[in-house]
Amino acid sequence: MSKGLPKRSEDYSLWYNELVKRADLAENSPVRGCMVIKPYGYSIWEKMQAELDRMFKETGHSNAYFPLFIPKSFLSKEASHVEGFAKECAVVTHYRLKNAEDGSGVIVDPEAKLEEELIVRPTSETVIWSTYKNWIQSYRDLPLLVNQWANVVRWEMRTRLFLRTTEFLWQEGHTAHATSEEAMAETVQMMNVYAQFAEEFMALPVVRGRKSANERFAGADDTLCIEALMQDGKALQAGTSHFLGQNFAKAFEVKFATKEGGLEYVWGTSWGVSTRLMGALIMAHSDDNGLVLPPKLAPFQVVIVPIYRGEDELALISVKAKEIMADLRKAGISVKYDDRDTQKPGWKFAEYELKGVPVRIALGPRDLENKTLEIARRDTLTKESFQWEDMPIAEKIGGLLEEIQNGIYQKAFDFRKENTTEVNSWEEFKQVLEDKAGFLSAHWDGTPETEDKIKELTKATIRCIPLDQVLEQGVCVFSGKPSSGRVLFAKAY
RNA sequence: CGGGGUGUAGCGUAGCCCGGUAUCGCGCCACAUUUGGGAUGUGGAGGUCGUAGGUUCGAAUCCUGCCACCCCGACCA
């Protein structure tokens, strides 16, 4: 591994790509647009999954699994849905290969053509609603609250590790309800679950909002979202929660008998977050030395690096190190002891910085003598000497981890605050977008035409209409027409 | 899918214009000395030059197709 990461200030994209690879998170695969998620990266994803899964279950959802393949005909049942996804679907047309007659390898067997092609799911609404038709007959079957952890495929033109890959991992929740109000409440609830997860675990402040009609999910009546701001001033949609109305119920004939004896279409929601969250996590906190991970999602929170000459010294240090590890683990802190003699301490320091381990403890003969530890924190890159007798080590480290978790959240929060600008004229809009980027809070006349025009001229889109939007009279920054509140614009990933 | 760029050892590269079998650094292996911020020395291994064709006595180098990656558009979580 060569030294030195590219600088964020010089080439943000290059910095991001290099960081993902060098920190052992992921790498490109032989298939265009697909990635291999490496063990270190995957263990961060597993932490995210575990936490989200717990939150889904706490809110009454159960996991299930639906198939990867969807009959082609299903895609055409919901008109706007097919329009949204048709252009990026992988299609299975054959089910068999055979040896080429010229011995050049295997070819697709032309005789093994499928009667009806199969679509590799870009999302599972269609297959799930076709199943729900059989599961739902009565109001007694509702609400139906299901989540699945799965992979999906969207054949995107341009891909980037974690942020947009052809295949990605995600969860998709699909719920069915008796009333519109209940489905809307579910949509809001899940957006709030996402927001809470992002802020509490990823240390990522997000704006909760509603998508404009242009940005709404294909097949939804309403899309709620959480939007985050990255260090380069671009916005990233971190999660979406859709109110599907009765669109899919109608498309797949999902009706239920009401308590009163009527027959009605059910109301639906769907909501998802993906491995894109990994991209958000990386871009939100990391620096030119590498990854900075929030303690709550770090594969291990503490690493202990022994400093020693010779086996005997290592043996002495290891006794103390193991004692510290036991204390930390008892307190629920994950810790790794790196006593490899194949790398030198300086190399390890740099390595764990690159990998974003929140706290590093160095322990050497000097420490044994003075009853101290060198404790370094990743977020601030500061070091302190800690006296064993001052307070229990687990208490010290536990406090520090909490400080780091809060510290990086606050830093990201302050960054977003500094990079959210109220603009009141078109000139100002263009100027701020050009010079500073970030979120632009501006009045908008509420029409898709204006939004399209602004996108065309500046590449900025409406990220969301914040849920905490203040109602105030104003004029649209572009058209000059009346507006009743500000929305957030930004260039987005 | 349109415009631009790049593919040479695990990684980063020189060589390409002007054709003669590949340079350097990091990493890797062995040994020794080292170990509190990416060690040093000595020796060593590692290449169908992205891929498939073509031109030529001879191709990393010239020509054509294809593939992948990066940047900029359109599309998108």
Side-chain angles (χ1 to χ4, degrees), chain A residues 106-381:
Chain A
V106 290
I107 57 166
V108 173
D109 185 344
E111 285 172 23
K113 192 163 160 44
L114 289 170
E115 199 134 306
E116 178 177 0
E117 291 92 341
L118 297 172
I119 310 302
V120 180
R121 62 182 166 215
T123 179
S124 302
E125 274 79 4
T126 56
V127 64
I128 287 179
W129 280 91
S130 79
T131 307
Y132 281 3
K133 179 181 166 61
N134 299 323
W135 290 3
I136 299 168
Q137 273 92 41
S138 152
Y139 72 93
R140 292 175 216 271
D141 299 323
L142 297 172
L144 183 53
L145 305 173
V146 172
N147 175 66
Q148 88 163 341
W149 289 97
N151 57 340
V152 289
V153 166
R154 296 184 189 173
W155 217 266
E156 302 286 355
M157 295 303 168
R158 272 178 74 191
T159 60
R160 290 191 73 191
L161 293 168
F162 289 118
L163 296 173
R164 183 174 298 107
T165 44
T166 301
E167 177 193 20
F168 55 96
L169 306 184
W170 76 345
Q171 60 67 218
E172 46 182 328
H174 296 272
T175 69
H177 307 263
T179 65
S180 168
E181 293 69 32
E182 199 185 304
M184 195 62 222
E186 166 80 2
T187 310
V188 172
Q189 171 182 249
M190 297 323 288
M191 178 207 60
N192 282 324
V193 164
Y194 289 155
Q196 192 193 337
F197 172 75
E199 298 190 332
E200 211 173 285
F201 290 88
M202 296 174 67
L204 181 68
V206 293
V207 178
R208 302 167 201 219
R210 166 170 280 117
K211 285 293 184 190
S212 64
N214 278 8
E215 300 276 325
R216 193 178 288 156
F217 176 73
D221 282 354
D222 199 0
T223 290
L224 302 183
C225 62
I226 54 170
E227 291 282 330
L229 191 63
M230 301 294 105
Q231 292 183 65
D232 62 347
K234 285 170 85 174
L236 184 90
Q237 179 175 303
T240 47
S241 182
H242 314 292
F243 172 71
L244 302 175
Q246 294 175 310
N247 299 337
F248 284 91
K250 286 177 179 166
F252 289 90
E253 282 295 316
V254 187
K255 293 182 190 172
F256 72 105
T258 65
K259 214 169 182 174
E260 295 74 31
L263 195 59
E264 287 176 17
Y265 287 112
V266 306
W267 299 80
T269 81
S270 68
W271 28 274
V273 295
S274 71
T275 34
R276 178 178 241 205
L277 287 180
M278 293 285 293
L281 187 70
I282 296 157
M283 285 201 291
H285 306 303
S286 303
D287 61 24
D288 291 347
N289 292 308
L291 214 53
V292 174
L293 292 173
K296 287 185 183 179
L297 295 175
F300 44 95
Q301 297 166 310
V302 177
V303 63
I304 302 176
V305 177
I307 316 284
Y308 61 94
R309 295 162 207 262
E311 291 291 313
D312 296 349
E313 214 167 72
L314 175 62
L316 281 174
I317 289 162
S318 290
V319 170
K320 184 65 191 172
K322 283 174 181 158
E323 184 189 315
I324 295 170
M325 277 200 289
D327 285 350
L328 292 179
R329 284 182 178 148
K330 210 180 294 168
I333 297 167
S334 55
V335 51
K336 171 176 171 163
Y337 180 44
D338 187 354
D339 61 350
R340 288 178 296 174
D341 65 354
T342 51
Q343 309 293 353
K344 298 188 40 164
W347 188 93
K348 292 176 187 173
F349 293 168
E351 175 74 3
Y352 292 115
E353 248 155 48
L354 180 64
K355 291 195 160 186
V357 179
V359 171
R360 183 185 72 234
I361 296 175
L363 182 61
R366 224 155 59 199
D367 296 299
L368 290 186
E369 198 174 311
N370 304 327
K371 298 188 187 305
T372 57
L373 298 173
E374 183 190 85
I375 300 178
R377 54 189 279 184
R378 176 61 184 88
D379 61 334
T380 55
L381 293 168

Side-chain angles (χ1 to χ4, degrees), chain A residues 60-74:
Chain A
H61 304 85
S62 303
N63 287 331
Y65 187 78
F66 293 85
L68 170 69
F69 299 125
I70 300 176
K72 188 181 72 178
S73 57
F74 279 28

Side-chain angles (χ1 to χ4, degrees), chain A residues 106 274 406 421 467:
Chain A
V106 290
S274 71
N406 296 335
T421 315
L467 293 191

Side-chain angles (χ1 to χ4, degrees), chain A residues 438-471:
Chain A
F439 283 129
L440 276 61
S441 177
H443 278 285
W444 165 57
D445 63 20
T447 67
E449 293 73 29
T450 298
E451 188 180 357
D452 282 339
K453 200 72 194 168
I454 291 174
K455 183 177 180 182
E456 191 187 319
L457 291 169
T458 65
K459 291 178 211 158
T461 51
I462 296 176
R463 297 326 301 152
C464 70
I465 303 154
L467 293 191
D468 61 1
Q469 186 194 41
V470 177
L471 290 178

Side-chain angles (χ1 to χ4, degrees), chain A residues 344-446:
Chain A
K344 298 188 40 164
W347 188 93
K348 292 176 187 173
F349 293 168
E351 175 74 3
Y352 292 115
E353 248 155 48
L354 180 64
K355 291 195 160 186
V357 179
V359 171
R360 183 185 72 234
I361 296 175
L363 182 61
R366 224 155 59 199
D367 296 299
L368 290 186
E369 198 174 311
N370 304 327
K371 298 188 187 305
T372 57
L373 298 173
E374 183 190 85
I375 300 178
R377 54 189 279 184
R378 176 61 184 88
D379 61 334
T380 55
L381 293 168
T382 51
K383 288 192 268 198
E384 63 173 307
S385 184
F386 170 75
Q387 289 281 337
W388 303 348
E389 276 142 16
D390 282 357
M391 80 166 82
I393 179 74
E395 192 182 323
K396 169 69 185 171
I397 300 294
L400 198 53
L401 290 171
E402 209 175 301
E403 234 180 89
I404 293 171
Q405 182 81 30
N406 296 335
I408 63 176
Y409 175 83
Q410 194 58 44
K411 193 174 168 194
F413 185 88
D414 292 343
F415 176 83
R416 189 185 71 185
K417 197 170 176 190
E418 280 160 32
N419 289 281
T420 302
T421 315
E422 280 202 359
V423 297
N424 295 303
S425 71
W426 183 238
E427 280 312 308
E428 206 183 341
F429 186 102
K430 286 189 291 186
Q431 198 64 48
V432 172
L433 195 63
E434 172 86 4
D435 298 345
K436 185 177 169 189
F439 283 129
L440 276 61
S441 177
H443 278 285
W444 165 57
D445 63 20

Side-chain angles (χ1 to χ4, degrees), chain A residues 441-446 465-466 469-476 482-488:
Chain A
S441 177
H443 278 285
W444 165 57
D445 63 20
I465 303 154
Q469 186 194 41
V470 177
L471 290 178
E472 58 172 34
Q473 289 306 308
V475 292
C476 175
S483 151
S484 59
R486 292 176 182 275
V487 301
L488 284 184

